[in-house]
């Protein structure tokens, strides 16, 4: 428990309201500290190279051409995945190789990283075993030094968050009741809690010193990315935003996620995201077509994004 959660919990003891408890995110698991000692020799050089790429993915010489937006891995895996929060890389490598229901094949860590390139970075997959690909996997693996290997037969996910990601139990019931009011409330909350950094137009602010990444539009993640999904973004927000002081209730996280997810962003089409086979090596998947738009990400849950945006009246049921 961090200090805020402890305070919150003790407030709960005093007032004892169950309704308030339902608002709280589940406490973060105890995540060990990131290692501080780099391995010797060439291996250590690869860890540092991977670290450099993870923090500077869109500008690094080895990866900038593979990135199609203004994000770095560190934009979502905070502090290069060292931050002990949802999205951390500490522990991640212990669950790989892991079965992935999305590709219906067993994924290696390099492969899983490539999926974030193609979706979250709106880019293209690095060729497996190139220097950049090995370096990133080496760095991510180093962050699990000393932790026991425990291959995951169900999903390629950080073991500390197997049951936390997406909080299906609480997000899905809330999504079922979403209306235009939630969108409008999300818009208001975005102005209060997010806009200072990510700006009213969602394009963020990138100067010499400030790096606030875009949260929608052409320079953001595409509609195939985890965070583009209205059912997935709320959980990530609960633990990570506003940066440095995440304080959203579950309902606020859902409303903001509805508003942010309803904004335009690049469509995802697997066939367009893949390099020609001869340039890419093997794309390890049994699923070879997949397309998403903002509209389809909402339609999946029976929601009409045009109605939420106020561009269309709800049809009479
Ligand atoms: C826009 C946000 C975003 C960016 C940018 C991003 N990721 Fe991810 N990444 C996610 C989310 C969300 C998940 C987990 C959920 C899922 O499986 O969809 C994830 C999962 C992963 C995982 C699987 C294990 C785990 O911890 O759950 C790895 C490894 C990973 N990302 C690596 C990377 C690397 C390397 C980069 C940079 C090339 C990157 N990601 C960029 C959002 C992002
Ligand atoms: C104090 C500034 C600040 C505030 C306030 C803030 N963010 Fe962020 N946000 C950041 C920074 C900086 C990053 C990238 C992380 C990094 O580089 O360490 C980020 C990353 C993100 C990302 C993932 C990367 C991307 O650009 O898509 C999303 C989504 C996001 N923020 C949404 C929100 C939402 C929604 C709110 C309001 C609830 C919010 N943020 C409030 C600074 C902020």
């Amino acid at each position: 428990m961090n200090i805020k959660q402890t305070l919150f919990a003790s407030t709960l003891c005093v007032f004892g309201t169950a309704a308030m408890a339902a608002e709280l995110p589940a406490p973060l698991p105890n995540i060990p500290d990131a290692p501080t000692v780099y391995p010797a020799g060439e291996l250590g050089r690869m860890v540092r190279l991977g670290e450099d790429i993870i923090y500077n993915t869109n500008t690094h010489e080895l990866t900038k051409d593979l990135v199609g937006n203004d994000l770095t891995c560190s934009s979502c895996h905070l502090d290069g995945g060292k931050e002990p929060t949802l999205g951390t890389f500490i522990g991640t490598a212990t669950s790989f190789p892991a079965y992935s229901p999305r590709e219906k094949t067993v994924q290696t860590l390099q492969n899983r990283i490539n999926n974030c390139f193609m979706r979250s970075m709106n880019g293209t997959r690095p060729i497996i075993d190139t220097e950049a690909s090995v370096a990133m996997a080496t760095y991510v693996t180093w962050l699990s030094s000393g932790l026991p290997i425990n291959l995951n037969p169900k999903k390629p996910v950080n073991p500390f968050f197997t049951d936390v990601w997406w909080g299906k139990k609480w997000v899905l019931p809330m999504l079922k009741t979403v209306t235009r009011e939630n969108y409008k409330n999300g818009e208001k909350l975005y102005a209060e809690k997010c806009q200072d950094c990510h700006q009213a137009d969602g394009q963020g602010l990138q100067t010499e010193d400030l790096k606030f990444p875009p949260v929608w539009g052409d320079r953001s993640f595409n509609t195939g990315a985890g965070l583009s999904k209205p059912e997935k973004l709320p959980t990530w927000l609960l633990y990570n935003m506003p940066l440095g002081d995440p304080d959203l209730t579950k309902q606020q996280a859902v409303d903001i996620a509805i508003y942010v997810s309803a904004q335009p962003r690049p469509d995802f089409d697997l066939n367009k995201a893949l390099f020609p086979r001869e340039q890419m090596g093997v794309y390890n998947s049994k699923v070879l077509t997949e397309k998403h738009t903002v509209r389809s990400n909402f339609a999946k849950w029976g929601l009409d994004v045009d109605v939420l945006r106020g561009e269309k009246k709800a049809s009479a049921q």
Side-chain angles (χ1 to χ4, degrees):
M1 264 197 190
N2 61 29
I3 292 170
K4 197 192 292 164
Q5 280 163 342
T6 314
L7 283 177
F8 226 157
S10 54
T11 322
L12 282 182
C13 289
V14 176
F15 299 105
T17 41
M20 255 176 99
E23 298 271 278
L24 287 175
L28 283 166
N30 280 327
I31 297 167
D33 290 340
T36 48
V37 181
Y38 293 83
E42 178 64 8
L43 184 64
R45 188 187 72 83
M46 284 307 264
V47 170
R48 287 176 198 269
L49 177 62
E51 183 170 35
D52 196 15
I53 294 174
I54 298 263
Y55 280 94
N56 303 294
T57 331
N58 61 337
T59 49
H60 196 283
E61 210 38 57
L62 294 181
T63 45
K64 63 180 190 327
D65 295 339
L66 300 168
V67 177
N69 60 23
D70 293 337
L71 304 187
T72 69
C73 308
S74 193
S75 303
C76 303
H77 301 281
L78 296 185
D79 195 12
K82 291 178 189 162
E83 188 82 19
T85 178
L86 183 61
T88 187
F89 287 146
I90 297 170
T92 292
T94 63
S95 49
F96 287 85
Y99 177 75
S100 168
R102 182 168 60 194
E103 287 80 20
K104 306 200 188 308
T105 52
V106 171
Q107 300 280 299
T108 62
L109 183 56
Q110 286 187 57
N111 243 304
R112 180 64 191 81
I113 289 171
N114 280 4
N115 288 333
C116 271
F117 263 92
M118 160 167 99
R119 297 163 187 269
S120 292
M121 310 300 288
N122 192 34
T124 30
R125 302 164 57 83
I127 297 172
I128 301 282
D129 280 357
T130 47
E131 191 176 35
S133 181
V134 173
M136 286 183 284
T138 308
Y139 166 73
V140 171
T141 304
W142 173 67
L143 287 178
S144 294
S145 297
L147 300 176
I149 300 273
N150 193 1
L151 310 189
N152 193 322
K154 290 197 181 136
K155 44 190 167 181
V157 67
N158 184 298
F160 289 114
F161 290 104
T162 309
D163 300 322
V164 178
W165 262 124
W166 318 142
K168 271 194 182 142
K169 282 204 186 87
W170 64 273
V171 178
L172 296 190
M174 280 189 185
L175 271 189
K176 285 196 186 130
T177 66
V178 159
T179 65
R180 170 132 174 88
E181 288 313 305
N182 297 86
Y183 176 97
K184 286 199 285 192
N185 193 42
E187 184 173 24
K188 203 177 88 209
L189 287 165
Y190 179 88
E192 279 167 25
K193 290 180 171 285
C194 321
Q195 188 164 307
D196 279 354
C197 298
H198 295 289
Q199 307 295 295
D201 64 2
Q203 299 315 291
L205 201 60
Q206 320 251 355
T207 66
E208 202 59 8
D209 321 315
L210 296 175
K211 295 270 174 290
F212 299 136
V215 285
W216 65 79
D218 288 349
R219 304 306 298 163
S220 186
F221 48 87
N222 67 39
T223 51
L227 293 195
S228 75
K229 313 287 181 185
E231 74 278 20
K232 294 186 172 182
L233 181 58
T235 314
W236 186 86
L237 291 177
L238 271 187
Y239 290 99
N240 293 302
M241 291 294 141
L243 188 72
D245 186 25
D247 67 348
L248 303 176
T249 66
K250 290 178 173 176
Q251 189 64 59
Q252 287 176 327
V254 167
D255 290 358
I256 295 173
I258 291 296
Y259 174 69
V260 170
S261 312
Q263 306 310 314
R265 61 179 66 257
D267 288 346
F268 178 71
D269 180 345
L270 179 61
N271 285 294
K272 290 187 186 144
L274 296 176
F275 269 155
R277 189 169 275 272
E278 62 280 11
Q279 288 172 36
M280 183 184 64
V282 174
Y283 173 56
N284 176 23
S285 175
K286 288 188 175 151
V287 178
L288 293 174
T289 49
E290 187 190 330
K291 290 185 189 188
H292 308 282
T293 59
V294 168
R295 240 171 227 103
S296 73
N297 279 348
F298 278 82
K300 185 174 169 199
W301 303 105
L303 299 167
D304 184 334
V305 72
D306 298 319
V307 171
L308 298 177
R309 286 171 175 161
E311 288 165 4
K312 197 170 109 189
K313 284 260 180 292
S315 56
Q317 295 289 319

